Amino acid sequence: MYVMGVDAGGTKTRCMICDEKEHIVGRGEAGAAQHQMYGIAQTKENLTLAVERALTQAKLCLSDISYAVLGMSGADGEDDFALLIPAVGEVLSDVPYEVLHDSWIGLRAALGGANGLIEGVVSICGTGAAHAGMNGRGERLTLRNLDYITGNCGGGGELCERALHYAFRSEEGTYDKSLLEELIPPIFEVKTMEEVCGLIKNDGPNEKQRYGIPIVVFEAAKRGDGVAAKLLSDMGREEGRYAAAVIKKLGMTEKKVPVVLIGSLFQTGEHLLIDAYMEQVHMAAPQAYPVILKEEPVLGAVRFALDKMRR
């Protein structure tokens, strides 16, 4: 018996095929598969590539797969599932499958929990940000996790914009001086923020630049830059407020709640970000504790698929 797990996000798509003992027999990777950011056509294309590459490495066909679970960034509401479920069906043909928000596979990878019953909260802070949770009664809550207008914020995209904002203000003298003024231009292969302005005025930063800017924010913070440090701690506090709200709504304020931190920004282990996050969480649940995911999130999708086959 073989099962398939997929982690489809705003940066990469990872596919993993395992046998019934969770031994990995095949892996595949492709680009982003986030329909809200890049459209359903690109989502299908990169899902297909990741799946085909995993099957090739495993020397298997789709007909060999007993069940598949896909954790997908952007699987937020009914309208999202109405797009994603048929798209996944076209990719997987006759393979039985389930589409989940990607937060759930991260929670499953971090905390175990046979048959999908896991008590805890998960916060993602990577390309974007998302938050969800489940209590001991099996009640689930996923926040809207859409965009700034609909109440969401956080992640690398927002950090990129805020870093640029304060780098320009540093250069113009309208805010505190920051190392970001020096560190950002090389990402654009220029020497000054004035040249950066000329490049992004019409087109905005490209994908490579958007990826590079958050990295230099963390670098500047480590070098003692007050503006960069504030950007990270402010983001941590905001993400912590979302997690605290999930805890309250699920009635877990008196419990020792595991709070799973997923995504490239949390994976840095940066205390400015994580300490500010936990400060807000502890205001809701004093006994809550952070769990930084060490397993690959895609493994959570595999485990959900194995749960399904063992029932």
Side-chain angles (χ1 to χ4, degrees):
M1 179 187 75
Y2 299 100
V3 298
M4 178 182 288
V6 175
D7 176 20
T11 303
K12 291 181 180 178
T13 303
R14 293 183 172 92
C15 180
M16 179 184 288
I17 300 172
C18 292
D19 64 16
E20 64 273 14
K21 294 183 179 179
E22 211 177 280
H23 296 146
I24 301 168
V25 298
R27 293 175 178 270
E29 189 171 296
Q34 218 283 14
H35 70 289
Q36 295 169 346
M37 298 170 66
Y38 304 111
I40 197 66
Q42 179 176 317
T43 296
K44 284 173 59 179
E45 179 182 350
N46 283 326
L47 281 176
T48 300
L49 283 172
V51 167
E52 287 178 346
R53 288 166 180 169
L55 288 168
T56 298
Q57 189 179 96
K59 298 180 181 178
L60 297 172
C61 301
L62 277 174
S63 58
D64 296 313
I65 306 299
S66 299
Y67 201 76
V69 170
L70 297 90
M72 304 191 70
S73 176
D76 298 307
E78 291 182 9
D79 54 336
D80 298 300
F81 284 100
L83 280 174
L84 292 171
I85 289 173
V88 170
E90 291 179 31
V91 173
L92 295 183
S93 186
D94 294 328
V95 178
Y97 66 91
E98 182 178 4
V99 176
L100 305 172
H101 189 275
D102 59 341
S103 59
W104 298 115
I105 67 170
L107 200 65
R108 180 72 175 86
L111 302 181
N115 299 316
L117 187 58
I118 314 157
E119 184 171 36
V121 171
V122 58
S123 290
I124 301 172
C125 194
T127 304
H131 308 269
M134 178 187 287
N135 61 25
R137 299 184 297 276
E139 296 170 337
R140 291 187 181 192
L141 172 66
T142 304
L143 298 184
R144 197 168 283 114
N145 299 327
L146 291 172
D147 53 26
Y148 184 82
I149 292 174
T150 53
N152 182 257
C153 66
E158 179 183 317
L159 190 58
C160 172
E161 292 182 358
R162 290 176 62 80
L164 282 167
H165 173 89
Y166 285 104
F168 282 120
R169 292 188 66 178
S170 172
E171 186 258 352
E172 289 186 320
T174 63
Y175 197 75
D176 297 343
K177 213 63 176 163
S178 172
L179 285 170
L180 295 173
E181 178 188 341
E182 302 171 15
L183 296 176
I184 286 178
I187 295 172
F188 292 82
E189 300 180 350
V190 295
K191 295 182 179 180
T192 69
M193 289 305 298
E194 182 62 28
E195 292 172 285
V196 172
C197 183
L199 290 172
I200 69 172
K201 191 159 34 175
N202 296 318
D203 300 326
N206 61 33
E207 189 172 340
K208 181 180 178 181
Q209 291 154 356
R210 285 185 174 277
Y211 179 81
I213 290 171
I215 293 173
V216 301
V217 175
F218 282 89
E219 179 186 339
K222 287 184 185 301
R223 289 168 60 179
D225 185 77
V227 173
K230 185 175 187 303
L231 290 177
L232 295 179
S233 59
D234 284 351
M235 182 167 288
R237 273 188 287 275
E238 284 302 305
E239 301 316 300
R241 289 188 180 101
Y242 291 108
V246 172
I247 289 169
K248 291 175 184 176
K249 287 175 178 289
L250 290 173
M252 298 190 292
T253 56
E254 303 300 320
K255 295 193 174 185
K256 192 174 181 180
V257 185
V259 182
V260 179
L261 306 180
I262 300 174
S264 56
L265 270 61
F266 279 143
Q267 293 302 121
T268 63
E270 173 55 61
H271 290 292
L272 288 165
L273 180 69
I274 295 172
D275 289 353
Y277 171 94
M278 289 306 302
E279 171 190 299
Q280 294 299 314
V281 168
H282 283 148
M283 290 174 68
Q287 298 182 76
Y289 62 96
V291 177
I292 296 180
L293 181 64
K294 295 180 180 178
E295 303 272 19
E296 299 173 80
V298 68
L299 188 58
V302 167
R303 288 173 177 166
F304 271 129
L306 287 171
D307 292 340
K308 182 74 174 183
M309 299 310 298
R310 289 167 181 160
R311 287 174 189 167

